Amino acid sequence: IFQLLHSWTRWIFLVVAVVAIAYFVLGLAQRKPWVRQGQSLLSVFSGLVGLQWVLGLVLFLLYQVPSGFDIRHQWEHLAAMTVVLGVAHVHYAWRRREMADARRWRNGLLLMLGVLVLIVVGISVLPAAIQWRFYIPA
C-alpha cells in the first residue's frame, strides 16, 4: 500500500506544482497584490513534499531493513529528498515577514522551481526502471 501511495502521490504533487507555478507566474506578471491563495498553494505544495517524504521513509525502512541497508541508490534518494523537504518548507519563514507583493510572488515561484530541480536530481539517482512510473499492484 505504501508503494502505491508513494507512486500515485507524486502525480498529484506534479499537478499541484504545475497549477501553483502557473498561478505564481500570473500573479507576478500581472503585478497582483499578494493573496492568501498564494500562501495556501505554497503550503499544499510543501505539504505534498512532506507526505511523499514520509511515505518514502516508510518504504525505505521496509526495503532497507531486510536487505541490511546496503542499497546505495536508496540512501542517495533519501538524502536528496531530505534536502528537498527542507527547501520546500522555507516559505514558512516568510509568512510574517514584511515583503513587497512582487517579491512574495517571485520568491514563491523561485522556491517551487528550485524544489522541482532538486527533485529531478534526487530522482535521477534511482535506476531507470523505477523513475517516474505508475505502480499498479499485481
Side-chain angles (χ1 to χ4, degrees):
I1 186 108
F2 288 105
Q3 194 167 10
L4 177 74
L5 290 172
H6 189 66
S7 174
W8 288 78
T9 304
R10 80 182 74 161
W11 298 104
I12 295 169
F13 167 78
L14 193 59
V15 169
V16 168
V18 168
V19 168
I21 287 171
Y23 188 78
F24 272 70
V25 166
L26 286 173
L28 187 61
Q30 295 174 353
R31 299 175 188 234
K32 288 184 178 180
W34 181 250
V35 290
R36 232 172 222 256
Q37 289 85 358
Q39 187 63 45
S40 296
L41 276 173
L42 283 172
S43 296
V44 169
F45 179 86
S46 61
L48 284 171
V49 170
L51 176 62
Q52 273 295 87
W53 187 86
V54 168
L55 292 170
L57 182 62
V58 170
L59 284 173
F60 176 81
L61 294 173
L62 288 174
Y63 286 112
Q64 284 286 26
V65 171
S67 70
F69 292 99
D70 62 350
I71 302 175
R72 182 176 153 206
H73 65 81
Q74 289 182 353
W75 280 101
E76 293 169 350
H77 182 62
L78 176 64
M81 292 303 144
T82 300
V83 171
V84 168
L85 179 67
V87 173
H89 285 81
V90 165
H91 69 93
Y92 284 110
W94 309 333
R95 283 179 92 158
R96 305 215 191 292
R97 191 175 292 170
E98 197 64 37
M99 273 192 237
D101 292 340
R103 190 170 175 197
R104 286 189 188 277
W105 290 112
R106 184 199 65 207
N107 287 356
L109 179 62
L110 291 175
L111 176 79
M112 289 184 287
L113 292 174
V115 165
L116 288 176
V117 167
L118 289 172
I119 287 172
V120 168
V121 169
I123 290 172
S124 68
V125 301
L126 295 172
I130 59 175
Q131 293 178 3
W132 293 99
R133 69 175 169 93
F134 283 111
Y135 174 76
I136 301 172

